[in-house]
């Protein structure tokens, strides 16, 4: 013990001396610093450098002064001035977004065009003339003209009258289509359809009268309720136990109403396997029994044999680290009974601990340590493994990167400073400085903006030459005026820099008039001559001959012709040249001068076309114009699809002839014609026809698609796809024998439950989308008819034996066909015995003592298609 105390004191003294030596050695050296991080200064914020000692980890921080703003010499336009708003210009810092010398650019003012735009007045809006700014497009109106006022057209039915609401008719302006006048139309009478509602278990039946137009309903011919029909078994709501009764709920096979009835207690059901209730020991017997699988009650309680003793050694010679001992007595650990004597106890083995390090291990070299046994004090030497490198998780910056050279970082060993994961650091960004724009002049080149690195001088964005703009000359003086054929000379001045120079002015060229000049007038004996002349120098071009004129005839002794009879003259000659014209003495009849009068036909009256000679008054022809009989549209209703609808127009007269649009009328459609609603088509007649006629057409919701149903015993749940633009949906029941349809209800959803139906019955249903706009309802086409069936009630089957055959019976489940199946086991397989529409079935004869499983399946069919079904519970029949 004293030896170990001396060793501990010596180790403490060595550690203290080592600490003081290292402390004073570190405090005495100069720090070899290296840069580990740098924050660059900006124009307004100072930067920072952090330096670290490579030997002791000492850190030092240096502040880098802010650089200050470096404003460019040029002016930058930050915001251009417009006609009405001021602009802004300033000098910008080349490094950041700071600005200085901010000044305002005055607004430019409007530059109006010399020509004026005329906007005609409408029925309700003033007309005006206006001038437009060439730069910003602003329009300034002036010289207003009063509105023209509306021009009412014919009456149009805006809303049809129904049995619950009055209709509306209106007149619209023929020019702008605005509503001018509106009047109401009286209500119509109800149009009833009858539907028989069958009685249920608790509710009476009746005949429901429904108006086809408004849906108003009344009830007549009431029938009493049928009462409930409960099956023998139902759903267990409180399960019976071994000793207590249970309870079950049974539902009416027609309406689903429920009642409760008791179930007898089950009695105990004991498991075939034994359960260990109490385990045996070496002094006491255990116990086992059979337990009830439901309530754990026991029976057949039986004893178990004693268990074996548990032996342990209790006395003898103690073992050491290297030699074995002995145990003279072995006893039971449970009851203490002595079992044997003279048992050998094995040696314990040494329990070594490390006492001191002889040679310290390094990252790559092994070390050694002295071990001693804590029991017997024996010592031995043990080799210590090399420590291996212990790398820091932080990166060490070995070489800082610059904008021209990469840096380097790595992970250093915390003990020997060995490096790993040596990684290159990317070069830093260049410290870019903007080279300003040099604007070009008329004769000198300019340069675009560029950039270079302030640190290394590298060109980052090269400046490019901007070509000289060139002079923008205009004539400021005419030195020698040009003529049609000779050049002139002018003095030109640059609009930008004011430089001047003389330039040739091109010859004007001849300005030939578009009008002809008659140089020599023609006569009845000689040709004439005409030409086009230059308006400046009078030079002639395109000289053209003019044909001789006709003789100027003079008659003597004339008898004037009429519309139908020829005339004559005693002598005819030219008053200009005196030539005798004998061929002119016979004067042809003048012919009639027809004048046609048209009385246009309208939709109510025939028209007439009459041609009369304007000279003699004779009626030359007369023809009747048949009145307009019909104006029809190619379609009165369209399904909404988001596209514009334009129905074709057909106009016929009373004789059935189709009139041509180009000859008789024009068509004007209401604007839009894409959304659900009512639209007008106005036909305006001209020529042989007069007046206006208006027709309307509707855009209605699209046809309902995707109609599906889910069946219950007394209800059908319908579902369908959403119809765009619809306000709601109407559900109809079709009577296939009469072809009539009965409205069952309305909904805004895409699902509807038809309730109070008979189980196992077939119904034909359809759905139509509708949209309400104001007081109007627009209904789309009905969906395709969906033949549906409610779920039939499960057949409640009973049986009796007759002559070795099973007679099965059940109550009606609806309008069903029944399939009867048989099997040898409850889990099948089942075989079809037959099909019947009756509510009873007699099976084939089976051998005495055999047991068969029967089930009945109720099917609801439409033609050959099974719409719904339900099956009975499996019925076990033992043949005697």
């Amino acid at each position: 013990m004293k030896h170990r105390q001396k060793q501990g004191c010596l180790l403490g003294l060595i550690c203290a001396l080592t600490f003081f030596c290292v402390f004073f050695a570190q405090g005495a050296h100069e720090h070899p610093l290296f840069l580990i991080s740098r924050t660059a200064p900006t124009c307004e914020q100072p930067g920072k450098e952090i330096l670290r000692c490579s030997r002791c980890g000492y850190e030092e921080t240096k502040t880098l002064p802010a650089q200050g703003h470096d404003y460019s010499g040029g002016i930058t336009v930050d915001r251009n001035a417009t006609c009405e708003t001021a602009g802004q210009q300033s000098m910008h810092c080349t490094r950041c977004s700071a600005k200085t010398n901010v000044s305002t650019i005055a607004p430019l003012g409007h530059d109006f065009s010399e020509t004026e735009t005329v906007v005609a007045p409408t029925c309700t809006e003033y007309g005006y003339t206006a001038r437009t700014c060439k730069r910003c497009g602003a329009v300034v109106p002036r010289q207003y003209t009063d509105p023209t006022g509306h021009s009412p057209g014919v009456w149009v039915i805006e809303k049809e009258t129904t049995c619950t609401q009055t209709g509306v008719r209106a007149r619209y302006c023929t020019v702008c289509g605005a509503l001018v006048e509106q009047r109401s139309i009286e209500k119509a009478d109800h149009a009833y359809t009858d539907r028989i509602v069958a009685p249920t278990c608790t509710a009476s039946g009746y005949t429901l009268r429904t108006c086809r137009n408004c849906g108003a309903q009344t009830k007549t011919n009431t029938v009493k309720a049928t009462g409930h029909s409960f099956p023998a078994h139902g759903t267990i709501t409180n399960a019976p136990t071994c000793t207590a009764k249970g309870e079950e709920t049974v539902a009416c096979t027609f309406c689903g109403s429920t009642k409760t009835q008791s179930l007898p207690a089950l009695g105990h059901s004991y498991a075939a396997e034994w359960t260990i209730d109490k385990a045996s020991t070496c002094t006491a017997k255990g116990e086992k029994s059979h337990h009830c699988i439901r309530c754990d009650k026991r029976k057949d309680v039986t004893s178990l044999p004693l268990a074996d003793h548990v032996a342990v050694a209790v006395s003898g010679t103690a073992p050491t680290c290297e030699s074995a001992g002995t145990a003279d007595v072995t006893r039971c650990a449970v009851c203490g009974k002595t079992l044997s004597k003279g048992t050998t106890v094995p040696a314990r083995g040494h329990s070594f601990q490390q006492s001191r390090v002889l040679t310290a291990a390094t990252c790559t070299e092994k070390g050694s340590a002295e071990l001693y046994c804590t029991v017997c004090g024996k010592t031995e030497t043990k080799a210590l493994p090399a420590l291996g490198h212990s790398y820091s998780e932080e990166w060490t910056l070995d070489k800082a990167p610059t904008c021209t050279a990469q840096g380097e970082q790595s992970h250093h060993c915390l003990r020997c400073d060995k490096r790993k994961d040596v990684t290159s650091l990317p070069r830093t960004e260049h410290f870019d400085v903007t080279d300003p724009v040099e604007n070009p002049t008329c004769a000198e080149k300019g340069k675009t903006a560029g950039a270079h690195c302030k640190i290394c001088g590298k060109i980052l964005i090269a400046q490019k030459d901007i070509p000289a703009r060139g002079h923008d000359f205009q004539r400021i003086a005419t030195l020698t005026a040009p003529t049609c054929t000779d050049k002139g000379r002018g003095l030109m001045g640059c609009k930008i820099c004011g430089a001047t120079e003389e330039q040739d002015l091109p010859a004007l060229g001849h300005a030939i008039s578009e009008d002809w000049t008659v140089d020599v007038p023609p006569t009845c004996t000689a040709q004439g001559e005409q030409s086009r002349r230059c308006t400046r120098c009078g030079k002639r071009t395109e000289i053209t001959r003019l044909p001789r004129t006709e003789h100027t005839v003079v008659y003597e002794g004339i008898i004037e012709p009429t519309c139908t009879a020829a005339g004559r003259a005693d002598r005819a000659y030219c008053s200009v040249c005196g030539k005798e014209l004998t061929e002119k003495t016979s004067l042809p009849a003048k012919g009639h001068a027809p004048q046609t009068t048209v009385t246009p036909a309208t939709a109510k009256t025939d028209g007439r076309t009459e041609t009369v000679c304007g000279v003699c008054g004779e009626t030359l022809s007369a023809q009747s114009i048949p009145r307009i009989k019909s104006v029809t549209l190619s379609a009165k209703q369209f399904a909404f699809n988001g596209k514009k609808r334009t129905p074709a127009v057909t106009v016929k007269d009373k004789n059935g002839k189709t009139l041509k649009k180009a000859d008789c009328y024009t068509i004007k459609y209401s604007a839009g014609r894409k959304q659900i609603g009512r639209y007008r088509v106005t036909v305006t007649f001209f020529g042989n026809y007069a007046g206006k006629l208006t027709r309307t057409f509707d855009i209605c919701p699209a046809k309902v698609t995707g109609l599906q149903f889910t069946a219950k015993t007394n209800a059908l749940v319908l579902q369908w796809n959403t119809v765009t633009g619809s306000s709601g949906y109407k559900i109809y029941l079709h009577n296939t024998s009469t072809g009539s349809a009965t409205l069952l209800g309305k909904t805004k959803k895409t699902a509807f439950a038809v309730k109070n139906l008979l189980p196992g019955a077939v119904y034909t249903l359809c759905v139509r989308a509708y949209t309400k706009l104001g007081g109007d309802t627009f209904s789309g086409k009905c969906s395709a008819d969906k033949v549906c069936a409610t779920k039939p009630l499960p057949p409640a089957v009973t049986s009796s034996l007759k002559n070795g055959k099973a007679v099965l019976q059940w109550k009606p489940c609806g309008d069903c066909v029944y399939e009867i199946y048989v099997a040898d086991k409850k889990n099948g397989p089942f075989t079809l015995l037959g099909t019947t529409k009756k509510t009873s079935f007699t099976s084939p004869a089976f051998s005495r003592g055999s047991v068969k499983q029967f089930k009945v399946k109720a099917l609801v069919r439409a033609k050959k298609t099974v719409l719904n079904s339900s099956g009975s519970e499996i019925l076990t029949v033992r043949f005697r």
Side-chain angles (χ1 to χ4, degrees):
M1 180 63 71
K2 291 181 179 180
H3 177 69
R4 282 199 294 269
Q5 288 178 349
K6 290 180 180 179
Q7 286 180 339
C9 293
L10 181 60
L11 288 173
L13 181 60
I14 292 171
C15 291
L17 290 173
T18 302
F19 169 77
F20 284 111
C21 291
V22 171
F23 175 77
F24 287 112
Q26 287 182 346
H29 76 273
E30 292 185 1
H31 298 292
L33 301 175
F34 66 92
L35 182 67
I36 61 171
S37 68
R38 182 180 188 272
T39 303
T42 64
C43 296
E44 299 179 347
Q45 298 294 327
K48 183 173 67 174
E49 288 183 346
I50 299 176
L51 306 174
R52 179 181 291 169
C53 177
S54 61
R55 293 174 59 189
C56 65
Y58 167 79
E59 290 187 356
E60 182 178 311
T61 301
K62 290 184 178 180
T63 300
L64 304 177
Q67 293 177 317
H69 293 298
D70 180 15
Y71 292 106
S72 63
I75 299 297
T76 300
V77 176
D78 302 319
R79 185 178 66 251
N80 291 321
T82 66
C83 296
E84 298 180 347
T85 60
Q88 181 178 289
Q89 62 185 8
S90 62
M91 294 176 64
H92 285 225
C93 177
T94 59
R95 284 188 290 268
C96 69
S97 59
K99 296 187 292 186
T100 188
N101 295 342
V102 180
S103 61
T104 302
I105 303 172
L108 302 177
H110 290 298
D111 181 12
F112 289 108
S113 62
E114 296 180 359
T115 58
E116 291 188 331
T117 301
V118 179
V119 178
T122 65
C123 301
T124 57
E125 301 291 335
Y126 285 89
Y128 57 87
T129 59
R131 290 195 302 165
T132 305
C133 177
K134 298 177 184 178
R135 272 193 295 269
C136 69
V139 177
V140 178
R142 53 198 289 266
Q143 296 182 3
Y144 287 93
T145 308
D146 291 336
T148 59
H150 292 300
S151 177
V154 297
W155 288 101
V156 177
I157 302 299
E158 289 285 287
K159 184 170 74 174
E160 296 289 345
T161 183
T162 67
C163 44
T164 58
Q165 62 183 6
T166 57
V168 177
R169 63 174 180 163
R171 289 200 299 170
Y172 290 84
C173 177
T174 58
V175 178
C176 68
L179 178 65
V180 177
E181 186 178 0
Q182 196 173 58
R183 294 181 184 177
S184 61
I185 306 171
E186 293 183 359
K187 297 178 182 178
D189 295 330
H190 288 293
Y192 285 110
T193 298
D194 292 343
R195 179 170 70 92
I196 297 175
V197 178
T200 65
C201 301
T202 57
S204 301
Y206 52 86
T207 299
L208 181 66
R209 302 192 70 203
T210 305
C211 178
R212 292 191 296 272
N213 297 325
C214 69
Q217 295 181 330
T218 59
K219 296 179 181 180
T220 60
N221 302 331
T222 303
V223 181
K224 291 183 179 180
T226 58
H228 293 297
S229 175
F230 290 105
H233 300 286
T235 303
I236 296 174
T237 53
N238 185 16
T241 65
C242 298
T243 57
K245 292 181 180 181
E247 191 176 73
E248 68 175 351
T249 302
V250 290
C252 176
T253 55
F254 293 113
C255 69
S257 296
T258 60
K259 71 174 184 177
T260 58
Q261 58 189 26
S262 63
L263 298 173
L266 301 176
H268 295 296
S269 177
Y270 291 99
E273 296 83 10
W274 290 96
T275 299
I276 303 300
D277 301 317
K278 177 182 177 184
S280 295
T281 67
C282 54
T283 59
K285 292 182 178 182
E287 199 173 71
K288 67 178 180 178
S289 63
H290 290 294
H291 284 227
C292 177
I293 59 176
R294 283 188 289 268
C295 68
D296 212 35
K297 183 175 177 65
R298 299 193 302 161
K299 76 170 185 175
D300 305 331
V301 180
T302 305
S303 296
L304 297 174
L306 294 173
D308 295 332
H309 291 288
V310 179
V312 293
V314 295
S315 65
T317 302
T320 65
C321 296
E322 296 178 346
S323 60
T326 60
D328 294 335
V329 179
T330 302
R331 291 196 180 104
C332 175
V334 177
C335 64
K337 182 179 179 180
T338 301
L339 302 177
S340 63
K341 295 182 180 181
T343 305
T344 300
V345 180
R348 295 179 182 177
H350 291 291
S351 176
F352 282 111
Q353 284 189 0
Q354 181 174 310
S355 62
R356 61 188 179 118
V357 176
L358 302 176
T359 305
T362 66
C363 295
T364 56
E365 299 293 335
K366 292 181 179 181
S368 62
E370 183 182 69
L371 303 178
Y372 73 95
C373 178
T374 58
V375 178
C376 65
K378 182 178 180 179
T379 61
E380 67 178 33
T381 302
K382 176 187 176 183
L384 299 176
L387 300 176
H389 295 293
S390 176
Y391 291 100
S392 171
E393 291 184 359
E394 289 103 14
W395 291 92
T396 298
L397 182 65
D398 301 319
K399 179 184 177 184
T402 66
C403 58
T404 56
Q406 291 183 332
E408 197 172 77
Q409 66 179 359
S410 62
H411 290 296
H412 283 226
C413 178
L414 299 174
R415 285 185 287 269
C416 68
D417 210 35
K418 182 177 176 64
R419 297 193 303 162
K420 76 165 185 176
D421 303 331
V422 179
T423 305
S424 296
L425 297 175
R427 291 181 298 176
T428 60
E429 296 292 333
H430 290 290
F431 193 110
D432 59 319
V433 176
T434 302
D435 300 319
V437 176
E438 297 179 14
N439 294 319
T441 65
C442 296
E444 299 293 334
K445 293 181 181 179
K447 287 186 179 180
T448 61
H452 68 277
C453 178
K454 189 173 183 180
I455 296 173
C456 67
K458 181 179 179 179
I459 302 299
L460 303 178
I461 302 174
Q463 289 183 294
K464 297 181 180 178
D465 288 338
I466 303 173
R469 289 185 289 187
H471 294 293
D472 184 8
F473 282 118
Q474 65 177 3
R475 186 165 58 180
I476 58 177
T478 302
L479 303 178
T480 305
T483 65
C484 294
T485 55
D486 296 326
K487 295 180 179 180
R489 192 73 173 167
L491 180 63
M492 313 301 287
C494 179
K495 296 178 183 178
I496 301 171
C497 66
T500 61
E501 68 176 34
E502 290 187 15
Q503 291 183 0
D504 286 335
L505 301 179
L508 300 177
H510 293 295
I512 304 299
S513 172
E514 293 184 356
D515 299 325
W516 291 92
T517 300
V518 177
D519 301 319
V520 179
T523 65
C524 56
T525 58
Q527 292 181 332
E529 194 175 82
Q530 67 178 1
S531 63
R532 286 195 173 99
R533 297 193 179 192
C534 176
T535 57
R536 281 190 289 268
C537 67
K539 179 173 180 172
R540 295 199 304 157
T541 183
E542 301 182 41
I543 300 171
T544 306
R545 295 288 183 180
L546 295 175
R548 291 182 297 176
T549 61
E550 295 289 331
H551 291 292
T552 305
V553 182
V554 177
Y555 293 99
E556 292 181 355
I558 188 170
I559 299 174
E560 293 289 344
T562 65
C563 295
T564 57
R568 60 178 292 276
D570 292 338
R571 179 185 175 218
Y573 62 92
C574 177
S575 63
V576 177
C577 65
K579 182 179 179 180
E580 293 288 335
L581 303 172
T582 55
E583 71 276 9
K584 298 290 186 179
T585 56
S586 177
L587 302 177
K590 294 180 180 179
H592 292 295
Q595 295 179 353
T596 302
T597 303
V598 178
T599 302
T602 67
K604 295 182 179 180
T605 61
D606 292 339
R608 182 177 175 82
T609 301
E610 188 175 32
T611 303
V612 179
C613 179
V615 178
C616 64
E618 180 182 349
T619 300
L620 303 179
S621 65
Q623 187 177 3
S624 175
I625 304 172
R627 65 179 176 82
I628 302 163
K629 183 179 181 181
S630 64
V631 175
T632 57
L633 305 181
S634 60
K636 292 282 288 180
Q637 180 175 315
F638 294 91
F640 170 75
N641 62 0
K643 298 180 180 178
K644 182 177 285 189
R645 297 295 195 172
T646 306
V649 177
T650 302
V651 181
K652 292 187 178 181
D653 62 18
K654 72 176 184 179
N655 297 331
K657 180 183 176 182
T658 301
L659 304 182
K660 293 183 179 180
K661 174 185 173 184
D663 300 333
C664 305
Y665 58 90
T666 59
I667 303 172
K668 182 179 180 182
Y669 294 90
S670 296
R673 309 194 304 284
K674 292 183 179 180
Q675 303 302 320
I676 294 172
R678 180 161 293 145
Y679 300 91
R680 298 189 307 279
V681 181
T682 303
V683 180
T684 304
F685 293 93
F686 65 87
N688 290 346
Y689 298 88
K692 291 184 180 180
L693 291 176
T694 301
R695 298 291 182 265
T696 60
F697 67 93
D698 296 340
I699 298 179
C700 298
K703 184 177 181 180
V704 172
T705 61
L707 180 59
Q708 300 293 331
F709 74 94
T710 303
K712 298 182 180 180
T713 55
N714 57 355
L716 290 169
V717 180
L718 301 178
Q719 289 182 313
W720 55 89
N721 297 332
T722 301
V723 176
T724 303
S726 65
S727 302
Y729 305 90
K730 298 178 181 179
I731 296 83
Y732 293 90
L733 172 65
H734 276 186
N735 187 326
T736 54
S737 59
T738 64
S740 62
T742 302
L743 179 66
L744 298 180
K746 300 178 183 178
T747 181
K748 292 184 178 181
K749 301 178 181 179
T750 56
F752 185 82
V754 183
K755 300 179 180 179
N756 299 327
L757 302 178
L758 296 176
V762 178
Y763 299 89
T764 302
L765 303 171
C766 73
V767 180
R768 155 184 285 172
Y770 70 89
T771 299
K772 280 193 172 183
L773 295 175
D776 292 333
T777 300
F778 299 90
S779 298
K781 291 184 178 180
C782 271
S783 65
D785 283 349
K786 189 70 176 180
V787 180
C788 314
T790 51
K791 193 173 183 65
L793 297 171
V797 184
T798 60
S799 66
S800 61
L801 294 176
K802 186 176 181 181
N803 299 327
K805 299 179 180 180
V807 180
L808 307 179
Q809 291 183 322
W810 56 90
K811 290 184 179 180
C813 303
D815 188 10
C816 299
V817 175
Y818 304 95
E819 292 179 345
I820 297 85
Y821 294 86
V822 68
D824 294 329
K825 299 178 181 179
K826 278 196 174 183
N827 57 356
F830 283 86
T831 304
L832 178 65
L833 286 179
T835 304
T836 182
K837 288 188 175 181
K838 300 178 180 180
T839 56
S840 65
F841 182 82
T842 302
S843 73
F846 291 98
S847 60
R848 190 172 184 179
S850 62
V851 178
K852 297 295 181 181
Q853 311 295 327
F854 291 94
K855 67 178 180 180
V856 178
K857 188 175 183 181
L859 306 174
V860 185
R861 298 193 300 195
K863 296 182 181 180
K864 294 183 179 181
T865 303
V866 176
L867 301 177
N868 224 318
S869 64
S870 64
S872 69
E873 294 182 355
I874 296 173
L875 180 66
T876 304
V877 178
R878 184 182 298 275
F879 289 85
R880 298 185 180 89

